[in-house]
Amino acid sequence: ILLICIVFCTQTLHAQIKDVHAYNGNKLYAKGQYKEAGAEYQAALQAKKNHETQYNLGNALYQQKNYEEANKHYESVARNTKEKSLQSISNHNIGNSYLEQKKWDEAIQYYKQSLKENPSSKDTKYNLAYAQAMKKNQDQKDNKKDQKDQDKKDPNLEAIKARPTPDFDKDLLNISNNIVSSNAKPKR
């Protein structure tokens, strides 16, 4: 009986330690102390794996602009939890990470995944529309830049740009006279 009591008390103490670290992490996060909060969440995760704590660690890393590490935690949560709401918000935050990095295609992909899990999320719908608009804008800028680069490489375009010359109006008049005279009826 003593052994059972020791095992039970040890497990209870272990869970309480995890809860203390998670609680302290939440307090630090609320104060904007993201690095310290992350350390507390790490300690809580060492005591016991927990999807909510791992998600919170992702948030602390995101706030530190450590998007790559944050995404690892969000992806793990999205992949391993059975809770649709936690999957959705994890994918939403992955989308936010990519949005911050101006990786429009990846952001769009994760926002769409988030909407599959929670189709009524107004925030995700808004962010998806924003990412799509930014991608369209970037694509247009890229196309203009590509066109300018192509224009620089096209030697025929340079010849066209060289016109009009001072004789351009005379040349145009001669061309139009030739067109008119070629359409005239033959004289008898």
Side-chain angles (χ1 to χ4, degrees):
I1 294 182
L2 182 61
L3 182 61
I4 293 172
C5 184
I6 291 173
V7 169
F8 179 74
C9 289
T10 303
Q11 288 179 342
T12 303
L13 181 61
H14 194 66
Q16 288 176 345
I17 290 171
K18 173 242 164 211
D19 290 340
V20 166
H21 285 297
Y23 176 78
N24 288 340
N26 290 343
K27 284 177 56 178
L28 291 165
Y29 186 92
K31 292 178 182 177
Q33 297 173 329
Y34 305 118
K35 187 174 183 177
E36 295 81 2
E40 289 292 333
Y41 294 137
Q42 287 278 15
L45 286 171
Q46 287 176 352
K48 182 181 178 192
K49 293 288 183 193
N50 175 292
H51 298 305
E52 290 82 8
T53 303
Q54 189 168 18
Y55 171 80
N56 289 346
L57 176 56
N59 287 342
L61 292 165
Y62 176 92
Q63 292 298 334
Q64 297 173 65
K65 299 187 185 323
N66 188 346
Y67 303 120
E68 192 173 312
E69 265 316 294
N71 281 353
K72 288 179 185 177
H73 292 283
Y74 293 142
E75 287 173 357
S76 178
V77 171
R79 189 175 45 251
N80 295 316
T81 188
K82 295 191 185 325
E83 294 179 48
K84 288 288 186 192
S85 62
L86 199 49
Q87 288 174 344
S88 175
I89 195 67
S90 293
N91 283 317
H92 175 94
N93 284 357
I94 295 169
N96 287 349
S97 293
Y98 284 124
L99 195 72
E100 288 291 332
Q101 299 172 74
K102 296 180 178 22
K103 295 181 178 179
W104 313 124
D105 289 327
E106 292 87 344
I108 290 166
Q109 172 191 344
Y110 280 96
Y111 289 137
K112 285 180 177 179
Q113 182 61 39
S114 178
L115 286 172
K116 287 180 185 176
E117 294 144 356
N118 182 7
S120 63
S121 173
K122 291 178 182 176
D123 289 339
T124 305
K125 288 177 183 177
Y126 176 86
N127 287 6
L128 173 60
Y130 179 79
Q132 289 170 328
M134 295 305 292
K135 178 183 176 1
K136 183 178 178 182
N137 186 34
Q138 185 64 50
D139 288 347
Q140 288 172 344
K141 285 181 181 178
D142 290 346
N143 287 340
K144 286 180 182 177
K145 182 183 180 298
D146 290 346
Q147 185 60 45
K148 283 183 180 180
D149 290 346
Q150 184 62 34
D151 290 351
K152 290 178 184 176
K153 294 177 185 175
D154 189 349
N156 293 329
L157 189 60
E158 290 304 316
I160 293 170
K161 285 182 180 177
R163 284 199 172 240
T165 63
D167 296 330
F168 179 72
D169 291 334
K170 279 195 254 175
D171 293 342
L172 186 58
L173 184 60
N174 289 337
I175 291 170
S176 64
N177 286 339
N178 289 337
I179 293 172
V180 171
S181 62
S182 66
N183 288 333
K185 292 183 180 178
K187 293 184 182 178
R188 290 188 175 187

